[in-house]
Amino acid sequence: MQADQSDRFRPPGQDDLVIVTDAAGVVRDGTYLLRDIDWRVELDERLVVLGPNGAGKTTLLNLAAARLHPGTGTVDVLGERLGRTDVFELRTRIGLSTAALADRLPAAETVHNVVVTAAWSVVGRFREGYDPVDEIRARALLEQLGVAALADRAYGTLSEGERRRVQIARALMTDPELLLLDGPAAGLDLGGREDLVRRLGELAFDPDAPALVLVTHHVEEIPPGFTHGLLLREGMVVAQGLIGDVITGENRSKAFGLPLVVEAGGGRFYARAA
């Protein structure tokens, strides 16, 4: 019996890996945005990617989202080797929330439609039809993210914190195997940030939730329940592994180029200048 093509590129004995990069690099105009990235994410992990501006965090997330190909090395996502698979099909298995995608959402569309249209991979409802199960799932996700009461509101009338929760609901609409969030709490006020962090913590603790990768600049935005970390500087890995081993003052100081103190408590992290 011929092996399924997707299995040809999956490392032997590593069926639980959702992301595998080996010496992966991305070069633009002769400059490395990422260099020699060796990275593994397992099915049950909740992982945060941190680093200063220009560290390569969003570039790495775009590799994991199959929206960018490596210039050097290899990248496997959900058992598929980038460059040897149909990325459009692969992307249907990945939930993604980024600022670039958020900017494409129509301000006049209802909140419910913003979420349910992800089932067709479109950003505005037109003449396409949706099964009752899709409508039910969209409502359930809005309820889970605490914005069910806003379902009939125009998306453009929401606060920034409410929009972020709707964007995450949309990313979850297709029941993805991998969820990627780029700076979901960036720019939110304290109340909005803490509400979102709490809800992401609930998602992190949900055993039925997909593998989750979150990108942020700030350790204060790491939700409880996150298990692993990856710290970048100038496109290279500073540290990776269990979150408590990665999010330390020493590692953060290396990544950000200034002395920092990191404190932990209640499942959260806090940083300040030394």
Side-chain angles (χ1 to χ4, degrees):
M1 181 178 177
Q2 186 177 4
D4 182 80
Q5 187 177 14
S6 64
D7 291 334
R8 291 166 55 192
F9 308 113
R10 187 184 292 274
Q14 298 185 355
D15 289 339
D16 289 337
L17 292 173
V18 294
I19 301 173
V20 178
T21 73
D22 287 311
V26 175
V27 185
R28 289 290 181 271
D29 298 325
T31 299
Y32 274 92
L33 304 183
L34 291 173
R35 183 194 294 266
D36 295 329
I37 303 295
D38 294 323
W39 185 36
R40 306 286 187 272
V41 179
E42 295 190 9
L43 184 63
D44 61 349
E45 288 182 5
R46 283 79 173 96
L47 185 142
V48 62
V49 180
L50 297 112
N53 289 333
K57 302 183 300 298
T58 296
T59 302
L60 183 62
L61 200 74
N62 281 329
L63 284 177
R67 294 178 180 270
L68 182 66
H69 283 71
T72 60
T74 60
V75 175
D76 295 88
V77 180
L78 300 175
E80 304 288 348
R81 174 70 51 87
L82 298 191
R84 298 179 178 176
T85 190
D86 181 346
V87 294
F88 297 102
E89 181 178 341
L90 177 58
R91 288 172 189 169
T92 66
R93 302 165 60 193
I94 301 168
L96 178 65
S97 178
T98 69
L101 290 176
D103 289 342
R104 296 172 53 206
L105 298 174
E109 192 66 88
T110 68
V111 166
H112 176 83
N113 285 346
V114 164
V115 175
V116 78
T117 51
W120 277 77
S121 299
V122 295
V123 293
R125 191 159 185 168
F126 188 50
R127 294 179 179 175
E128 70 278 0
Y130 294 89
D131 294 332
V133 66
D134 293 327
E135 304 283 2
I136 292 170
R137 178 166 178 80
R139 288 194 292 269
L141 289 169
L142 289 171
E143 180 71 35
Q144 181 180 351
L145 273 297
V147 284
L150 307 176
D152 295 326
R153 284 262 302 273
Y155 174 73
T157 68
L158 304 187
S159 70
E160 192 58 38
E162 291 165 344
R163 291 187 194 187
R164 301 291 176 85
R165 283 183 272 160
V166 172
Q167 292 160 22
I168 294 169
R170 176 182 168 86
L172 288 165
M173 179 64 202
T174 59
D175 195 16
E177 299 167 58
L178 173 63
L179 179 62
L180 306 173
L181 306 176
D182 191 3
L188 297 183
D189 62 26
L190 181 60
R193 184 193 77 182
E194 289 302 295
D195 183 79
L196 183 60
V197 166
R198 177 179 63 82
R199 294 181 188 280
L200 289 176
E202 293 171 355
L203 185 65
F205 282 115
D206 183 351
D208 296 323
L212 176 56
V213 177
L214 181 150
V215 167
T216 182
H217 295 95
H218 307 293
V219 296
E220 292 81 5
E221 295 175 0
I222 302 174
F226 271 61
T227 59
H228 292 72
L230 175 72
L231 196 55
L232 295 173
R233 177 181 173 84
E234 296 179 349
M236 294 184 288
V237 175
V238 173
Q240 63 178 311
L242 294 173
I243 195 164
D245 297 332
V246 171
I247 311 302
T248 67
E250 179 181 1
N251 288 335
R252 291 274 290 174
S253 298
K254 290 178 182 177
F256 284 81
L258 74 161
L260 294 170
V261 174
V262 174
E263 300 172 345
R268 301 285 298 278
F269 293 91
Y270 309 90
R272 58 179 174 81

